[in-house]
Amino acid sequence: MEILWWQILLITFYAGYQIIDELTIYSGAGSPVFAGLITGIIMGDMKAGLIIGGSMQLAILGVGTFGGASRIDANSGTILATVFSVGLGMNPEQAIAAIAVPVASLMIQMDILGRFANTFFAHRIDTHIENMEYKKIERNYLMGILSWSLSRALPVFLAISFGGEVVNTVVNYLNTDLKWLGDGLSTAGAVLPAVGFAILLRYLPVKKHIAYLILGFVITALLSTVFVNIQAIGGVVGTLSKDFAQPLNNLSMLAIALIGFGLAYLQYKRTIDNSAKTGVPVNNVTNNVAIDVVEGEIEDDEL
């Protein structure tokens, strides 16, 4: 499938926008799953985009930034992996391991470059503050968008415009002479979400909420088994009778999500009640962490 010029422009525009959304707007458009959705729609294969974006979203569940630290750019990795997966007919799991993860790691350097270039506008703002030139302060603040946007948009544009032949050659080798490597990359891409969960569990207060962890595992196992079997029975019945045309979808994850929402709501209510009794605000994460530290519920081995 040939990548058209308008697809390149739209994807480049989104690549520049998603980092601004992640830093300031917080609409959710600056996340890997959203990047996969948008890129998949533009490329004409939303399913592949969601598979790649969802996998990358799960892979970075436990990855965060503190202060001015940079982390892997899973959004840009998702964008390029989706583009080449759809454009070149590449297996999505293979694209995750062969393209998304390496690109996400390499883009750390572009993140640092974007931050470094942004200091130019920061120093200009300092000068305008001393001179009390408020319009210029606002203008330079907005111009800081340029360095952030270009740090993502430019690499994505160059990769899509000029990297297609290179990626196509690599894909051909992975599917022929190096098929063993391609199969290995597909397997690695499929298990990446488990890595994200492992990192997340490493710093969450699992010891404090071990009951929720066990309960969630049991509910997932039971409901998955029940709904999968119901779906299988419905499929068999559908083949025996033409009157039975209503499909039985697998609703296990929806049921699990609703149960999780109920438990989360109970925990939220308990937190609010404790806050009312102690007089300690819980309107931000910092305060919540501070409460846990005071009570000794987050230990060094859980960070």
Side-chain angles (χ1 to χ4, degrees), residues 209-223 256 259-260 262-264 266:
H209 301 295
I210 186 66
Y212 290 107
L213 183 65
I214 296 173
L215 182 62
F217 175 79
V218 173
I219 290 174
T220 302
L222 290 177
L223 291 183
I256 294 168
I259 294 173
L263 294 174
L266 292 175

Side-chain angles (χ1 to χ4, degrees), residues 52 61 92 142 155 192 205 215 227 248 267 292:
I52 296 173
L61 274 180
L142 293 175
L192 270 177
L215 182 62
F227 282 109
L248 294 176
Q267 177 66 19
D292 287 340

Side-chain angles (χ1 to χ4, degrees), residues 93-201:
E93 285 79 14
Q94 192 178 88
I96 293 169
I99 299 177
V101 174
V103 168
S105 301
L106 290 173
M107 287 294 289
I108 293 177
Q109 311 304 323
M110 295 304 299
D111 183 81
I112 295 173
L113 181 60
R115 293 172 185 268
F116 178 78
N118 206 38
T119 58
F120 170 77
F121 301 106
H123 288 308
R124 287 172 63 89
I125 290 174
D126 291 337
T127 302
H128 296 320
I129 289 175
E130 294 178 357
N131 299 328
M132 296 185 179
E133 298 175 302
Y134 298 109
K135 290 296 182 182
K136 293 183 179 180
I137 294 173
E138 294 176 358
R139 185 162 56 249
N140 279 273
Y141 173 79
L142 293 175
M143 289 176 66
I145 294 175
L146 293 175
S147 60
W148 279 112
S149 295
L150 289 175
S151 68
R152 269 64 176 182
L154 190 59
V156 168
F157 174 78
L158 293 176
I160 298 175
S161 301
F162 305 106
E165 291 298 326
V166 176
V167 176
N168 193 25
T169 302
V170 172
V171 171
N172 289 335
Y173 272 107
L174 290 176
N175 291 330
T176 54
D177 298 341
L178 299 176
K179 192 175 186 305
W180 59 271
L181 179 59
D183 294 340
L185 290 174
S186 298
T187 303
V191 302
L192 270 177
V195 176
F197 275 107
I199 298 173
L200 184 65
L201 292 173

